[in-house]
Amino acid sequence: MQTERVTFLTTPDQKAALDAYAASNGKSVGHVVREATSHYIAPPSASGDEGEDELDAIVPMVEDAVQEMTAAIAAMRADIARTCARVDAILGGEA
């Protein structure tokens, strides 16, 4: 397969988000960008409903984000519970 190099500029925050997304999905940044651009520039469907194609491309990303947020919230709740238990122990003299 012959390849070509593409360079684009982005903000540090956007780059960090792209790096994090790629890492959390076990993919390279290049793979994520290729996948995203292929969805973005995919030919319109035979039905001509480009909005549906865009939605189909976004749904997996939203599902992944929801899973990541759910896991992060669960971890935060566990941290909060441990912290509350520790504070209770200290305030109750059970440290």
Side-chain angles (χ1 to χ4, degrees):
M1 172 173 92
Q2 187 175 3
T3 61
E4 303 248 354
R5 181 175 303 275
V6 175
T7 303
F8 70 98
L9 300 176
T10 187
T11 67
D13 288 343
Q14 288 171 330
K15 175 67 166 78
L18 180 58
D19 288 339
Y21 178 84
S24 69
N25 286 284
K27 298 178 182 177
S28 69
V29 170
H31 179 84
V32 171
V33 171
R34 282 189 297 275
E35 192 174 69
T37 55
S38 68
H39 287 294
Y40 184 76
I41 61 175
S45 66
S47 69
D49 188 358
E50 292 179 33
E52 186 175 319
D53 290 339
E54 290 175 3
L55 182 60
D56 288 343
I58 292 171
V59 167
M61 290 183 237
V62 171
E63 289 172 342
D64 289 345
V66 168
Q67 287 180 350
E68 290 173 22
M69 287 185 279
T70 300
I73 290 168
M76 286 186 277
R77 291 181 76 166
D79 287 344
I80 290 168
R82 283 191 299 276
T83 302
C84 288
R86 180 72 178 141
V87 168
D88 289 345
I90 290 169
L91 293 177
E94 301 171 17

